[in-house]
Amino acid sequence: MDARLEAIRDTVLARNPGEGEFHQAVTEVFESLGPVHDRHPEFLEGAVLERLCEPERQIIFRVPWADDAGRFQINRGFRVEFNSALGPFKGGLRFHPSVNLGIVKFLGFEQIFKNALTGMPIGGGKGGSDFDPRGRSDAEIMRFCQAFMTELYRHIGEYTDVPAGDIGVGGREIGYLFGQYKRITNRYESGVLTGKGISWGGSLVRPEATGYGTVIFAEEMLKTRGQSFDGQRVVVSGSGNVAINAIAKAQSLGATVVACSDSSGYVVDEAGIDVALLRQIKEVERGRLKDYEARRSAVDYVDGGSVWDLDATVALPCATQNELDGDAAARLVRNGLLAVAEGANMPSTREAVAVFQDAGVLFGPGKAANAGGVATSALEMQQNASRDSWSFAHTEDRLTKIMVGIHDRCAATADEYGDPGNYVLGANIGGFVKVADAMLAQGLI
Ligand code: GLU
């Protein structure tokens, strides 16, 4: 890492002790930015990096709610409003027991660059809670969401901060959150949240967008080597919204997705994952992946273990951060891996990324490859602002163009900085320069 940047990075790490994932995300971005600072000394003079690493505002709050037995439960809520140089803070809410300030900050930091890469007018933010939705009734989910919004409402708004979903937050949760926002504020402010239901201000394609976009990005990478998804053997981690839609899109392009996972294990289905059955189990029944085995022939469920033990030509990590380490990466590379596109945020460890890049594997980092979700959220905001709703075909076409645009911008930036094919460099520099220019133009704030 460039010595000037390393000194700033070290200060950031020292000021934010114990936030391992945030340190990782900052380090990974800083490693790409040396050459930019040679060309743009004004970024150092303007203390852009120091400002970028310090969120504009961080909100931490108590979320008190009552479970079905009438017992009082206390969780912690977060919203980190990281950077509004390009637009209102924008990013999802994650409900998962692993959520803490460091996790929310890593996600919010990544979101700044991701959102810049989409070309849409959105800043970066992220939030969530250490609430564990697993095993909770619908009524408990509703009461939790209402309690969460009872504090969050005062910090958000169409022109201020626009939350959406992430792990543990989907259409159901966005509905309860929106209802409580409307009740407290007495405003039908569609643009305050994205991921809404289609009959009340949501956008078609938003549910599919992250998974579809990841596959579109991967397809563009494959094209640079004269290849495509057709005939590829794909392994996907996760079985939530991102994974399911990535599987559907990859198979529509002629790939066979032979496996996917949840936190308990993975299924191997050599005939190709049955997406309708997977949706039924995960989205309708809110069940576990284990149930897939009994309902389809010639399927193996592996309890525990890692889905990355399987061979694949394309790997799509769509579960969570740091789920794919250096050893797993080395094994995949030995067994013929061509490409990786990250549907999740920071699923590959820094060691894994180095293994992929050293081996010449096409590697699409999450902040570029999974930007289709938030980009389609911005399309939802656009429809809300004009009180319009677009067709599936039109919205999907916009998403495709945005993903191809992100791919091409990352590739062109990597070329410009003398490292062709390095999408990590392209994404980090491409996102950073846009935000840095806007920050300088807006003065010391
Ligand atoms: N949570 C998603 C992400 O990581 C989507 C955010 C949004 O739609 O605002 O980008």
Side-chain angles (χ1 to χ4, degrees):
M1 187 186 300
D2 181 290
R4 298 163 301 176
L5 274 58
E6 195 168 7
I8 300 170
R9 195 278 312 255
D10 290 348
T11 308
V12 172
L13 266 52
R15 299 183 72 212
N16 298 282
E19 297 177 356
E21 290 83 3
F22 178 54
H23 298 177
Q24 183 183 342
V26 168
T27 300
E28 190 262 338
V29 169
F30 275 39
E31 273 174 342
S32 300
L33 298 182
V36 180
H37 287 80
D38 295 336
R39 293 192 195 178
H40 295 280
E42 70 273 19
F43 292 157
L44 282 174
E45 285 153 25
V48 169
L49 287 173
E50 291 88 334
R51 286 195 268 157
L52 207 47
C53 293
E54 187 67 21
E56 290 182 33
R57 189 179 293 119
Q58 309 185 54
I59 303 141
I60 304 180
F61 51 99
R62 178 166 67 202
V63 188
W65 58 284
D67 67 19
D68 284 346
R71 273 188 301 268
F72 293 177
Q73 302 280 346
I74 304 300
N75 285 98
R76 187 172 294 168
F78 301 90
R79 186 72 184 167
V80 174
E81 298 181 334
F82 229 114
N83 192 292
S84 63
L86 298 180
F89 306 107
K90 181 82 196 88
L93 299 170
R94 176 177 292 190
F95 292 170
H96 191 269
S98 64
V99 167
N100 57 39
L101 184 59
I103 297 269
V104 178
K105 282 175 67 179
F106 117 65
L107 291 164
F109 187 74
E110 290 274 298
Q111 200 84 45
I112 303 169
F113 307 99
K114 182 197 305 194
N115 293 5
L117 283 170
T118 65
M120 310 295 288
I122 43 179
K126 202 85 185 193
S129 176
D130 59 0
F131 171 69
D132 187 357
R134 182 149 6 139
R136 289 296 178 188
S137 70
D138 204 68
E140 289 177 316
I141 298 287
M142 181 177 75
R143 285 197 299 277
F144 178 80
C145 289
Q146 290 178 338
F148 188 85
M149 185 54 85
T150 300
E151 172 58 32
L152 187 68
Y153 87 94
R154 66 185 86 247
H155 307 288
I156 63 176
E158 180 183 354
Y159 297 105
T160 310
D161 183 355
V162 183
D166 196 82
I167 293 170
V169 178
R172 172 180 60 167
E173 291 74 17
I174 294 294
Y176 296 145
L177 291 163
F178 184 75
Q180 184 73 348
Y181 182 84
K182 179 163 63 87
R183 174 160 76 168
I184 297 175
T185 60
N186 194 32
R187 284 166 61 87
Y188 202 109
E189 190 183 330
S190 301
V192 70
L193 290 168
T194 61
K196 299 181 294 295
I198 197 65
S199 63
W200 43 278
S203 174
L204 289 167
V205 192
R206 178 63 191 88
E208 294 85 0
T210 312
Y212 278 25
T214 301
V215 170
I216 296 166
F217 190 94
E219 177 87 344
E220 292 304 302
M221 292 200 300
L222 288 164
K223 277 188 200 164
T224 66
R225 304 240 173 116
Q227 286 168 317
S228 74
F229 262 98
D230 196 23
Q232 303 293 348
R233 178 183 165 88
V234 181
V235 168
V236 173
S237 63
S239 49
N241 171 266
V242 179
I244 292 172
N245 289 294
I247 295 168
K249 184 74 176 177
Q251 299 202 139
S252 79
L253 295 176
T256 306
V257 180
V258 296
C260 64
S261 63
D262 67 9
S263 56
S264 307
Y266 61 91
V267 289
V268 185
D269 187 343
E270 290 287 345
I273 296 286
D274 179 340
V275 175
L277 176 59
L278 187 62
R279 281 194 197 280
Q280 171 66 26
I281 292 168
K282 297 295 296 188
E283 293 176 348
V284 180
E285 300 167 19
R286 295 185 187 277
R288 301 293 293 168
L289 193 56
K290 193 179 188 343
D291 302 343
Y292 183 96
E293 186 185 24
R295 287 155 73 170
R296 192 164 147 91
S297 57
V299 170
D300 257 343
Y301 175 79
V302 181
D303 208 352
S306 165
V307 76
W308 308 124
D309 289 342
L310 301 168
D311 301 352
T313 54
V314 178
L316 303 175
C318 297
T320 195
Q321 66 273 356
N322 291 330
E323 53 156 310
L324 201 172
D325 65 15
D327 290 343
R331 197 163 46 241
L332 286 164
V333 165
R334 269 199 307 278
N335 294 323
L337 186 71
L338 295 171
V340 181
E342 295 185 323
N345 291 311
M346 208 169 75
S348 311
T349 64
R350 291 181 56 228
E351 294 74 26
V353 177
V355 170
F356 293 141
Q357 292 190 321
D358 289 349
V361 167
L362 294 162
F363 177 74
K367 63 170 77 70
N370 74 37
V374 75
T376 308
S377 279
L379 299 179
E380 181 173 332
M381 292 163 72
Q382 201 175 328
Q383 291 167 77
N384 294 156
S386 57
R387 300 185 187 279
D388 198 359
S389 63
W390 305 342
S391 69
F392 193 97
H394 175 69
T395 317
E396 191 180 23
D397 183 54
R398 290 282 307 261
L399 167 66
T400 303
K401 291 196 170 102
I402 290 169
M403 293 314 300
V404 172
I406 295 172
H407 171 274
D408 293 352
R409 216 166 307 128
C410 291
T413 307
D415 286 348
E416 186 191 333
Y417 281 86
D419 199 352
N422 186 342
Y423 292 94
V424 172
L425 189 88
N428 287 339
I429 294 183
F432 170 77
V433 170
K434 202 161 176 220
V435 179
D437 282 341
M439 288 172 71
L440 287 184
Q442 292 171 23
L444 180 58
I445 51 171

